[in-house]
Amino acid sequence: QGAQNAGEKALGYLRQNVSVAGLGFNVMSAVIQPLGLTQSIVRIGPKWVGRGVAKAIGSPVDTYAEIAAKSDFMRTRALTRLRELAEVRNQVKGQSKTRAAIDAGAYVLMLRAQQLVDVPTWWGAYEKATAEGNLEERAVALADQAVIDSQGSGTTKDLSAIERGGPAMKLFTTFYSFFNTALNLGTAQTMTAESKAKLASDYLLLYVVPVILGAALKNALTPGDSGDADDWRKLVKKMAGEEISYLMGLMFGVREFAGAVQGATGTAQYGADYSGPAGVRMIGDAWKLGKQAGQGEADEGLRKSLVNTAGDLFRLPAAQINRSITGVQALKEGKTQNPAALVFGYQEPR
């Protein structure tokens, strides 16, 4: 449903810029993409995922070329992976060369990392379909659907009804595609489970393992010391907070109350004040910028607010810019000697 008037066009402008600001050139987001393989294991089984991984590792370039020759869906995957990506790539009017370059490159890292999941998933599903006696055309279609079911897709036919809503509805579904895919997959497994033990293992792979591994990976890659390892109670609270955020993030509307539940259970992370749906983050960032400016001090808070607001306004990779600036400052001040701070930032003990 396209924008019907100037007001809805303005809402669309707010949302589309936020996607690039949060995910554009984001190295950390790219690094955690392979964790989506747990969803592929649930969808097609560990045996077939293993075969897909082996095939991809053995000849990555040739494997992708073979898949692209068989599947139109996989050949154009880089253009349709996310709803926001498809929308940005469809904006062809009035683009400067700089603007076009930023938009074209914003999701490249994430999409390349996603291929590490998509290719093994597709090939494993293709081999499985072939082994079950399906002819070539049907095997390819089943492999395409396995990728859609486990990893999501930004094409209109693959979006849920709420993601296909108008501009106002889309404000509440920004950054929701992955969670919606996980929810749908879990629902499908619940309805078709062969045993409670199998269903329990599927739930672990869908809703627990990626949360724990994601948090651990971010902590390990970010230079500095979060202080979690020194206090197991703090670590447990952090993981519980991550789990609450993830589980509530699966459900439209409910996800907006995750911060409230974290606060009530004492698992909220610092700086986690609610600022509205992700699609209208520009309003919250502008409010924080005004508050920081009013303090009259050129500190880190002002810098982050300024970069975030600029990213929301001009569709710039604000999250990665802030993370890199923080890392550069940490290196300059001698807080760390780890060059990874340039891309992963720095975490202060707390």
Side-chain angles (χ1 to χ4, degrees), residues 5 19 100 103 109 199 244 250 264 300 322:
N5 51 58
S19 179
D103 288 348
L109 289 174
L199 183 60
I244 289 172
L250 296 171
E300 185 178 16
N322 267 327

Side-chain angles (χ1 to χ4, degrees), residues 138-324:
R138 180 172 172 80
V140 169
L142 289 171
D144 288 347
Q145 193 61 49
V147 174
I148 294 170
D149 291 345
S150 62
Q151 304 304 317
S153 169
T155 59
T156 303
K157 72 177 182 62
D158 299 322
L159 297 175
S160 61
I162 56 173
E163 289 183 289
R164 295 195 303 268
M169 183 67 74
K170 288 179 180 177
L171 291 177
F172 288 86
T173 56
T174 302
F175 304 131
Y176 181 58
S177 178
F178 171 81
F179 294 97
N180 186 58
T181 300
L183 176 63
N184 288 339
L185 186 55
T187 301
Q189 295 305 113
T190 302
M191 296 173 67
T192 60
E194 297 177 356
S195 69
K196 291 183 178 180
K198 174 65 167 60
L199 183 60
S201 68
D202 288 344
Y203 282 167
L204 283 174
L205 285 171
L206 288 173
Y207 306 132
V208 179
V209 173
V211 179
I212 295 175
L213 289 181
L217 190 59
K218 290 178 182 178
N219 190 62
L221 290 175
T222 306
D225 182 10
S226 65
D228 296 332
D230 301 328
D231 187 343
W232 68 269
R233 294 181 183 83
K234 184 187 295 185
L235 181 60
V236 170
K237 279 189 175 183
K238 180 177 181 179
M239 290 301 176
E242 295 281 356
E243 195 64 47
I244 289 172
S245 177
Y246 190 91
L247 291 176
M248 294 188 69
L250 296 171
M251 293 166 280
F252 172 79
V254 176
R255 64 203 297 248
E256 306 302 330
F257 296 93
V261 175
Q262 288 175 321
T265 56
T267 59
Q269 300 297 307
Y270 74 104
D273 293 337
Y274 180 68
S275 57
V280 294
R281 193 171 71 180
M282 182 187 298
I283 298 173
D285 287 340
W287 183 86
K288 291 178 183 177
L289 175 59
K291 182 179 179 180
Q292 289 291 330
Q295 294 176 357
E297 184 178 353
D299 57 6
E300 185 178 16
L302 177 62
R303 181 261 297 173
K304 287 184 176 180
S305 298
L306 182 61
V307 172
N308 285 335
T309 304
D312 298 336
L313 282 171
F314 305 112
R315 207 153 72 227
L316 300 174
Q320 184 58 51
I321 291 173
N322 267 327
R323 188 176 291 133
S324 294

Side-chain angles (χ1 to χ4, degrees), residues 6-18:
E8 291 192 344
K9 287 182 179 179
L11 293 179
Y13 175 81
L14 286 175
R15 175 180 56 81
Q16 291 168 4
N17 285 2
V18 162

